[in-house]
Amino acid sequence: MSTTVTFVTPSAPAPPGQPDISYAPDYDKWQARAARRLKEGNLPTTLPKGFPEKLTGDLVWEGESVADTYDWTYVLNAEQLDEIDRAVEHFKGLGLPLGYVTAETFPLPNLHGELRRLSDELHNGHGFFVIRGLRVDEHTREENVIIYAGISAHIAPQRGRQDHKYNGQKADVVLSHIKDLTWSQGNGEIGSPAYTTDKQVFHTDSGDIVSLFALETSAAGGASKLASTWRVYNEIAASRPDLIHTLSQPWDMEVFEKADKQYIERPLLFHFPATDSTPERVSLQYGRRYFVGFGALPRSPNIPPITEAQAEALDTIHFLGEKYCVNTDFQKGDIQYINNLAIFHARDGFTDTPEKRRHLLRLWLRDPENAWQTPEVLNYRWAQLYEGVTPEGQVLPLEPFIRSAGNKGR
């Protein structure tokens, strides 16, 4: 279990009836809750109908040993970096807005085949990889955004909507910045750890693929950690099948953006039987703050509190994520890609200095050619992300901002 724990933001107040659980996981409370629930008994001892006893394949890996069989870092060579630089100049010569970056307007004739192979690795292999070696300091911020969007377009051509407004105007914001903004914004508006130096506990984002590009790393800390959903599933299925029931049943999940209803009911864990063209799969989609709140966005008292079983399940997947995770050794100039339906991720807390501030760019991507089936109850969310996003409507901001779903002042 990791001993690196950094939580700076004060705990969000809990609504009435909520179990004793906060955004910062507490190992002792988890163990005590598990022991108490096991002692009370009456827990299911078999898995929900159809769910597998054990998943197998490249997606079942452990952090301690995955490097023995899989090299997840793809290091760009000088010729490939030169090809990327030529693609930047080609796109700039077209005089088009950033939303028009595609595999066609950012041509990589030699690197394209390797990037398509890496997309297959995301969807049918180990579920993650890192591209290393981009020369960040040799390019302007706009050029780095072009490079990031351009390389990504060859891996997964669809960019997902991360916000629906920018500078107060309706927009399809497809790029966001992950950076500590407490020094400029204070904590009064921030309701997501993405904009703080806090440890981010294990979670998934939205969409098929989550990608991060490191423009700069922190002075200390900030390790990027990934865990195999399938390895964690196997552990829970073998030892606590009742929690597979809990995870696959509906939860009341808060909606932080303005909506007619401030929560939706949906499971966190999904099962897909094998078909003629796809293997049996399990997918996880969740974020802890949607059930316990964070910072300036506490869980609303107008939403039913989570149950003791759900509190235990949240801690179980977090601490098993810690147990089986890998640290990808994220460096400046790296781009990390993960299959967001099969891998969940976390970040250690970190320390910035005036000279060295951690700054990542993020894309939510989809590759229609290789994409996994979307859980039916998430079709609405995938539509919010990917439908109707046009080149002319896309905004790829060059400077950090707090997106609506993490902003109290939304």
Side-chain angles (χ1 to χ4, degrees), residues 149-317:
I151 290 173
S152 298
H154 290 265
I155 294 166
Q158 285 185 271
R159 291 188 286 270
R161 197 183 273 114
Q162 299 189 47
D163 210 337
H164 54 82
K165 63 180 180 180
Y166 184 68
N167 286 339
Q169 303 295 314
K170 185 177 180 181
D172 292 334
V173 183
V174 297
L175 177 88
S176 62
H177 296 248
I178 310 299
K179 190 176 185 181
D180 174 32
L181 299 180
T182 57
W183 61 276
S184 60
Q185 304 280 343
N187 274 337
E189 301 295 314
I190 295 176
S192 168
Y195 309 111
T196 73
T197 62
D198 284 69
K199 176 187 177 77
Q200 271 189 295
V201 302
F202 275 94
H203 65 286
T204 63
D205 281 20
S206 292
D208 289 67
I209 298 166
V210 179
S211 173
L212 295 168
F213 178 23
L215 296 180
E216 185 57 271
T217 55
S218 58
S224 177
K225 295 179 174 179
L226 311 181
S228 161
T229 294
W230 287 21
R231 178 63 187 91
V232 169
Y233 171 88
N234 284 349
E235 179 103 345
I236 300 173
S239 61
R240 289 293 302 277
D242 60 291
L243 293 179
I244 301 297
H245 284 265
T246 301
L247 290 164
S248 61
Q249 292 165 351
W251 294 47
D252 295 323
M253 177 176 169
E254 186 153 4
V255 177
F256 287 118
E257 297 181 72
K258 290 181 179 178
D260 294 335
K261 184 180 178 182
Q262 283 308 121
Y263 69 98
I264 59 168
E265 301 96 352
R266 71 159 179 86
L268 308 192
L269 187 70
F270 305 91
H271 173 246
F272 299 97
T275 69
D276 291 341
S277 58
T278 60
E280 182 176 35
R281 289 168 172 163
V282 165
S283 296
L284 179 70
Q285 282 282 287
Y286 88 108
R288 188 179 178 100
R289 74 183 184 99
Y290 293 94
F291 305 101
V292 301
F294 179 87
L297 290 176
R299 185 169 175 87
S300 169
N302 300 318
I303 303 173
I306 66 172
T307 66
E308 286 289 330
Q310 289 172 335
E312 186 191 351
L314 285 176
D315 280 345
T316 299
I317 50 180

Side-chain angles (χ1 to χ4, degrees), residues 1 17 19-20 42 45 88 161 199 242 246 271 295 348 379 382 393:
M1 188 182 69
D20 182 13
N42 297 318
T45 57
V88 173
R161 197 183 273 114
K199 176 187 177 77
D242 60 291
T246 301
H271 173 246
D348 279 352
N379 282 335
W382 261 238

Side-chain angles (χ1 to χ4, degrees), residues 4 197 218 220-225 327 330 346-351 358 360:
T4 304
T197 62
S218 58
S224 177
K225 295 179 174 179
N327 178 350
F330 212 25
R347 177 197 76 199
D348 279 352
F350 62 92
T351 302
R358 189 178 194 267
L360 310 183

Side-chain angles (χ1 to χ4, degrees), residues 71-78 80-81 84 111 115 118 129-136 151 155 212-214 217 224 327-337:
D71 181 1
W72 62 79
T73 306
Y74 186 89
V75 182
L76 296 165
N77 62 39
Q80 292 167 330
L81 289 167
I84 289 167
L111 189 53
L115 298 178
L118 290 171
F129 64 85
V130 172
I131 290 177
R132 176 158 294 167
L134 289 167
R135 302 179 285 216
V136 172
I151 290 173
I155 294 166
L212 295 168
F213 178 23
T217 55
S224 177
N327 178 350
T328 60
D329 186 30
F330 212 25
Q331 301 178 11
K332 182 175 180 175
D334 282 0
I335 308 180
Q336 176 178 284
Y337 295 87

Side-chain angles (χ1 to χ4, degrees), residues 12 19 36 39 44 54 56 118 121 124 129 148 188 196-197 213 233 304 328 365-366 394 403:
R36 185 170 63 248
K39 185 177 179 181
K54 187 175 183 179
T56 59
L118 290 171
E121 182 65 52
N124 303 306
F129 64 85
Y148 183 30
T196 73
T197 62
F213 178 23
Y233 171 88
T328 60
L365 303 165
R366 179 175 171 84
Q394 289 183 42
R403 69 187 189 97

